[in-house]
Amino acid sequence: MTDTQYLDDVIKNSGLRMNWLAEQLGITPKTFIDKRMNRSEFTASEIKKLCDILNIKEKERSRIFFN
C-alpha cells in the first residue's frame, strides 16, 4: 500500500509536476492518481523509475511503497 501523503510530499519537494511524472512512467495522469490513491498498485518498474527520478533512497522507498 502506497503512503500517499509521504509520496506527495516527496513530489512536491522535488518541484516536478505529477502529469510529467505520469508521462515518464508511460501512464495517464488518471492512472497515476489511481496508483497514488491506492485504487491500483504501482508496478515494480514504475516504482524503480519513480525512485530514480525523485532520488528516493531504499529506506524511503520501503516507507512509501511497502508500508
Side-chain angles (χ1 to χ4, degrees), residues 6-40:
Y6 195 77
L7 177 58
D8 286 352
D9 289 344
V10 171
I11 292 170
K12 182 179 178 181
N13 290 333
S14 76
L16 299 172
R17 297 176 46 92
M18 290 194 196
N19 287 348
W20 184 84
L21 288 170
E23 184 179 312
Q24 299 309 301
L25 297 177
I27 59 177
T28 66
K30 167 79 167 86
T31 300
F32 188 64
I33 290 168
D34 287 344
K35 290 176 183 247
R36 281 182 34 252
M37 301 304 293
N38 293 300
R39 293 182 201 125
S40 64

